Amino acid sequence: MTPRGRRPAGSPDAREAILAAARTAFARDGYTTSLRGIARDAGVDPALVHHYFPDRAALFSQAVVGGVDSIDVTLDPAVIEQVRQAEPSRQGEMIIRLFLTTWDRMGRERFTAVVRAAMSDESVIAGIRDVLVGVVIAPVVAAVAPDRVELRTQLIASQVIGLGMVRWVAQMSAVRDADREALVRAVGPVVQRYLTGDLGPEA
Amino acid sequence: MTPRGRRPAGSPDAREAILAAARTAFARDGYTTSLRGIARDAGVDPALVHHYFPDRAALFSQAVVGGVDSIDVTLDPAVIEQVRQAEPSRQGEMIIRLFLTTWDRMGRERFTAVVRAAMSDESVIAGIRDVLVGVVIAPVVAAVAPDRVELRTQLIASQVIGLGMVRWVAQMSAVRDADREALVRAVGPVVQRYLTGDLGPEA
């Protein structure tokens, strides 16, 4: 028997309703939010959540991180090739533009949800680290950096993460309200330094 | 009647025991951790927590952020004067060294606790923003920057926050294990760019 007011399992919008409820719940409570609560908010039976999403990580990934078109772009080998072939003075700008575009599409709520989830669960930190560094930044750095690929990759990650924290989480007004291309010009040379510049002696 | 095993109110180490228990609890549960739980872990009566710390913010501030000697240093007007009088090529290094030294003293547990607390409470984000930006970075930037003090301050904050996230929260190995002075050399010129460099047109 379907409880009054719930969407039946065959409803075409049940999956979308679960994703929308999950997005709100993860943003509000972090990674450990109640899956039963998500089902209740979506107006579906809890079993339907498990039907569409095998586990919490899958639901989180698709509700909060996924569904953003431009994230796929960063995994495209053509992007790495574009950066590799660009003028050295433009590579840093291309990388920071890629992140700002992706994160502006995510918006404050989803960006904050990812950070909040990461702070509540070590496995989420590891997941974000693996995707951000291993899949997105490291291949580009490996294609153009003269040396010290790991350190350069992580320094770029530090600037990219920090810019997101200031623009979307702390909402500091000058960075929050800045035009995207103005930020690309201000931060691009920093990413370029980390990518190909002289970082000084190692110890 | 004092329950068995609890420290009496007059015990000289009761305050320290509360601070130690609070540090662990904030790191584990975030800003909304139970104050009764802290009292229990410290082996004191809950009333004693309120006796020493008027509210949650005061306990958090002193347990997690406070008690680090070098934090006071950043508030010293002499530091601003030192940076102002330094060679322009050394100012960025001085600023990033100040942060790395402070945060290395805080250590992973306390740094992570601050970020976790910030993600669970908007008032903590505002507090950190006011201290980090208003008290520490902005006065130095105002003393040496040619223009756009607010944007420069926030860009420096973005690099400083991101470096902390990568070194202590995400624990990416090359940055986590790097010698502090090696990081100062790698990141110092970036802070210098944000402090006095040409950031490009505003829009």
Side-chain angles (χ1 to χ4, degrees):
Chain A
M1 191 181 111
T2 306
R4 195 195 308 265
R6 287 194 175 175
R7 290 182 177 78
S11 168
D13 58 352
R15 187 172 180 282
E16 282 309 311
I18 294 168
L19 284 173
R23 206 166 286 140
T24 302
F26 281 126
R28 185 186 59 224
D29 310 325
Y31 190 69
T32 54
T33 190
S34 159
L35 297 187
R36 289 190 163 270
I38 289 173
R40 193 178 54 240
D41 294 348
V44 303
D45 190 274
L48 204 57
V49 175
H50 295 286
H51 168 71
Y52 284 117
F53 308 96
D55 56 25
R56 178 180 298 273
L59 178 57
F60 175 79
S61 171
Q62 290 183 59
V64 177
V65 183
V68 180
D69 294 344
S70 59
I71 280 184
D72 295 337
V73 173
T74 64
L75 307 181
D76 186 344
V79 172
I80 297 173
E81 190 55 25
Q82 277 171 26
V83 174
R84 203 174 66 75
Q85 304 223 345
E87 294 278 319
S89 63
R90 290 284 168 245
Q91 294 166 333
E93 292 188 357
M94 290 174 76
I95 292 173
I96 198 72
R97 185 180 293 114
L98 194 65
F99 276 99
L100 282 171
T101 304
T102 302
W103 288 351
D104 280 350
R105 285 195 203 173
M106 284 175 72
R108 166 170 161 75
E109 187 180 321
R110 294 171 89 175
F111 187 88
T112 304
V114 172
V115 178
R116 185 169 288 144
M119 296 315 298
S120 67
D121 192 313
E122 288 281 339
S123 69
V124 178
I125 293 183
I128 292 171
R129 186 176 58 207
D130 292 351
V131 171
L132 182 74
V133 165
V135 180
V136 182
I137 305 177
V140 177
V141 177
V144 299
D147 58 12
R148 299 167 86 180
V149 168
E150 200 182 8
L151 179 64
R152 292 176 186 279
T153 297
Q154 296 174 13
L155 288 171
I156 292 171
S158 79
Q159 179 57 89
V160 159
I161 291 170
L163 199 63
M165 295 289 288
V166 164
R167 188 163 164 93
W168 291 286
V169 178
Q171 297 205 74
M172 298 188 194
S173 58
V175 167
R176 181 194 62 200
D177 302 337
D179 178 82
R180 191 190 301 156
E181 285 303 309
L183 285 181
V184 165
R185 285 187 294 267
V187 179
V190 166
V191 176
Q192 191 69 46
R193 167 181 170 76
Y194 290 151
L195 198 56
T196 55
D198 176 9
L199 302 182
E202 296 196 36
Chain B
M1 190 182 110
T2 305
R4 195 196 308 266
R6 287 193 177 176
R7 289 180 177 79
S11 167
D13 58 353
R15 187 173 179 283
E16 282 307 311
I18 293 168
L19 284 173
R23 207 166 285 140
T24 302
F26 282 125
R28 185 186 58 223
D29 309 325
Y31 190 68
T32 56
T33 191
S34 159
L35 297 186
R36 289 192 162 268
I38 290 173
R40 192 178 55 241
D41 293 348
V44 305
D45 190 273
L48 205 57
V49 174
H50 296 285
H51 168 71
Y52 285 118
F53 307 96
D55 56 24
R56 179 180 298 272
L59 177 58
F60 175 79
S61 172
Q62 290 183 59
V64 176
V65 183
V68 180
D69 294 345
S70 58
I71 281 184
D72 294 338
V73 172
T74 64
L75 307 180
D76 186 344
V79 172
I80 297 173
E81 190 55 25
Q82 277 171 27
V83 173
R84 203 175 66 77
Q85 304 223 344
E87 294 277 321
S89 63
R90 289 282 167 247
Q91 293 166 332
E93 293 188 355
M94 289 174 76
I95 292 173
I96 198 70
R97 184 181 293 113
L98 194 65
F99 276 100
L100 283 170
T101 305
T102 301
W103 288 351
D104 280 351
R105 284 194 204 175
M106 284 174 72
R108 166 171 162 75
E109 188 179 322
R110 294 170 89 177
F111 187 89
T112 304
V114 171
V115 178
R116 186 169 289 145
M119 296 315 300
S120 67
D121 192 314
E122 288 281 340
S123 68
V124 177
I125 293 184
I128 292 171
R129 188 177 56 206
D130 292 350
V131 171
L132 182 73
V133 165
V135 180
V136 181
I137 304 178
V140 177
V141 176
V144 301
D147 58 12
R148 300 167 85 182
V149 168
E150 199 182 9
L151 180 63
R152 292 176 186 279
T153 297
Q154 295 174 13
L155 288 171
I156 293 172
S158 80
Q159 180 57 89
V160 159
I161 290 170
L163 200 63
M165 294 290 288
V166 165
R167 187 164 165 93
W168 291 286
V169 178
Q171 297 204 73
M172 299 188 194
S173 58
V175 167
R176 180 194 64 201
D177 301 338
D179 179 80
R180 191 191 301 156
E181 285 302 310
L183 285 181
V184 165
R185 285 188 295 267
V187 180
V190 166
V191 176
Q192 191 69 46
R193 166 180 171 76
Y194 291 151
L195 198 56
T196 56
D198 175 9
L199 301 183
E202 295 197 35

